[in-house]
Amino acid sequence: MKHLVRAAAGALILAMAALPAAAQKKGGTLVMVVLPEPPTLASYLSTSGPIGQVAAKVYEGLLEYAPDQKPKEGLAKSWAVAADGKSITFKLQEGVTWHDGKPFTSADVKFTLMEVLKKLHPRGGITFQAMTDVETPDALTAVVKLDKPAPYFLSALSGYESPMLPKHLYEGTDIRNNPNANKPVGTGPFKFVSWERGQFVRLDRNPTYWRKGQPHLDRIVARFIADPGTRTAAMEKGEVHYGAFGAVPYVDVPRIGKLPTIGVSTDGYAMISPLMQLEVNTRKPPFDKVKVRQAVSYALDRKFMIDNIWFGFGKPSTGPISSNFKAVGLYEGAVRDYGVPDRVAIANKLLDEAEYPRGADGIRFKIVHDMLPYGDEWRRLGEYIKQALGDVGIDVTLRYEDVPTWLKRVFTDYDYNITSTFYYNLADPVMGVHRQYHSSMIRKGTVFVNGSGYSNPKVDKLLDDATVETDPAKRAAQYGEFQKILAEDVPLIFMTEMDFVTVYSKKVKGAFDDALGAYSSFAGVSLE
């Protein structure tokens, strides 16, 4: 574990944490702060981060992943890829039951993969595009049939990314509006108990969990605390044990990280490679012009943002693929550089060329910037963007709404100019990158896909070819050309490679033993 710093809510939380002495001996209650409150617990319909932090304790996937991202057994105890790459056989664990007591079988796997994830999951259209069928020769065997090799497939089967659902509760229903969406029934180490809106979700230990001896904890409480100062204070007082994804404000991390009871880590994010970006609406002026998008990209100082808003966590990004993929040859850094010394002068020149001259008041045009409703850092980012774009004659009005309203505005109504957000590259570009840029992923009403409306046939072909290319050198060349085109077209403004921070009580053990960190099941987590 990479420790960056040696060191380190209310009456309701205290009451819930104060379990009987006997229960505490079995593992106690872990209180995790989740920011913001998830709009739903249907992780099979939305990839919104807060949903995954809670739902992954209830739902499980066929596989789990070690810190080095290699797959390990989950609901599947073994897997075998056919020599031609067109089928994968999964052998399922024996004795697994859903939280309502029904047995978990290969029929659940087939239903989830074919009827839910392939059709409804935001990334399913890409991830499972090659999957044509799932054969179920017996209750504990599922054979995934593919019409072409899909080398990324085994990286997409975690409980966070591809949660298994009980067929008997979803088949024949309106899956998007199934009543179990907000009272999930899974096979995981923790069972959903209650959701007090605006306060917490309570998950209790699954006494019949298939992994003997797990989970160690008796209970997990996912607490929603809107005020950043209160989140920090709750961590300092020991009322909260765990906060990932910057739940504790970055401004407070250096200080409380020096406390002997508090730990700080950037581990647990190995499989997501998050990129912070500005999503722009390319459908209408002014962002239908590429020179305007390029000008905005030049106008923003990424180093300033990292140093002053995220307190040194992160580094500038150059395009749609994280430099974490350099090790496997899929990152291309030789692209247009928007961080040059004369970037502001270039931005002004491009805006002039785009026929947006300054008026008598110095303003070229006015836009609204919708800030990601995930906390104070995003407000600070909005304030910086307003100032930086104002310097080149773009008048920016800031807007901060709740999560459901923001999601609908951006991904359903397309009623926005520019918005801050972040996307995960995940374990392979097919899973995390294609959804933002492929024309087929312009899906009105589906969140966290191609919301900008970008469509380029040449890019589509490069992505399609890279999906099935098994020669590493050819695949690297395809993604290299893709990154060069995107750096010119900038359908999104590429900002930073984010370095998320987890702040935790040193009583918490085992929270960083999985590549997915806060998105893992916490079956192996314990409290000293």
Side-chain angles (χ1 to χ4, degrees), residues 145-201:
K145 308 298 288 187
L146 307 168
D147 62 5
K148 52 194 172 188
Y152 51 86
F153 197 93
L154 289 176
S155 297
L157 300 176
S158 72
Y160 160 68
E161 181 68 19
S162 301
M164 290 293 110
L165 297 183
K167 177 184 176 182
H168 63 281
L169 295 179
Y170 284 84
E171 186 177 41
T173 73
D174 177 0
I175 294 172
R176 289 187 181 277
N177 296 294
N178 188 287
N180 289 291
N182 291 329
K183 46 180 181 179
V185 176
T187 60
F190 296 95
K191 301 174 69 171
F192 174 82
V193 176
S194 62
W195 184 354
E196 297 294 329
R197 296 282 181 170
Q199 297 187 61
F200 65 89
V201 168

Side-chain angles (χ1 to χ4, degrees), residues 17 37 74 95 132 149 157 192 198 203 207 212 236 279 323 336 347 349 374 427 477:
E37 182 173 8
T132 57
L157 300 176
F192 174 82
L203 309 174
K212 302 305 179 187
E236 288 185 86
E279 188 139 0
S323 62
R336 181 189 282 255
K349 182 173 182 292
Y374 278 20

Side-chain angles (χ1 to χ4, degrees), residues 298-311:
Y298 276 115
L300 299 172
D301 185 344
R302 291 151 179 80
K303 185 70 165 49
F304 177 90
M305 290 184 278
I306 291 167
D307 290 344
N308 294 281
I309 300 174
W310 275 276
F311 292 86

